[in-house]
Amino acid sequence: ALNSDRQLWSVAGTLAATYRILFGMRLEEDRLAFRPMVPPAYAGERTLRGVRYRGATLDVTVRGHGTGVRRATLDAQLLT
C-alpha cells in the first residue's frame, strides 16, 4: 500500500537527507567530511550515535543552523 510503514525506500530517503543534508556527511577517499546545511527552522541540537567509519564508532552532534562548521572536536580536542 502507498505510504505503508513497510516502505524501506522512505526510511532510506529520510536517513539520506539526515546524513547528507542536515549533517552534511560526505565519505571522501581519505576522510569523512562534514558540510552541514541546517535551515533556521531546524535549528537546535541533533546527534547521530553509533556512526561506523573505518573501524571507529562515532557520535556526531550538530548544533545551531547554517551552512558551515564553526568548531569541531574529536574526543574533546579542538580540530583545526
Side-chain angles (χ1 to χ4, degrees):
L2 194 57
N3 294 324
S4 166
D5 60 355
R6 291 175 273 186
Q7 289 178 320
L8 182 57
W9 65 266
S10 63
V11 174
T14 300
L15 285 173
T18 299
Y19 276 66
R20 294 180 184 169
I21 298 172
L22 289 177
F23 283 80
M25 290 175 57
R26 300 285 188 266
L27 300 174
E28 297 182 356
E29 186 177 323
D30 60 343
R31 67 179 164 234
L32 179 60
F34 292 91
R35 295 179 190 98
M37 202 300 291
V38 181
Y42 287 89
E45 180 174 302
R46 288 176 172 66
T47 301
L48 292 174
R49 298 189 196 290
V51 177
R52 294 183 183 206
Y53 177 73
R54 295 188 179 184
T57 302
L58 308 170
D59 293 338
V60 181
T61 300
V62 171
R63 293 182 184 97
H65 69 279
T67 59
V69 175
R70 180 182 300 167
R71 183 173 67 109
T73 60
L74 178 64
D75 295 334
Q77 298 295 318
L78 188 63
L79 300 175
T80 56

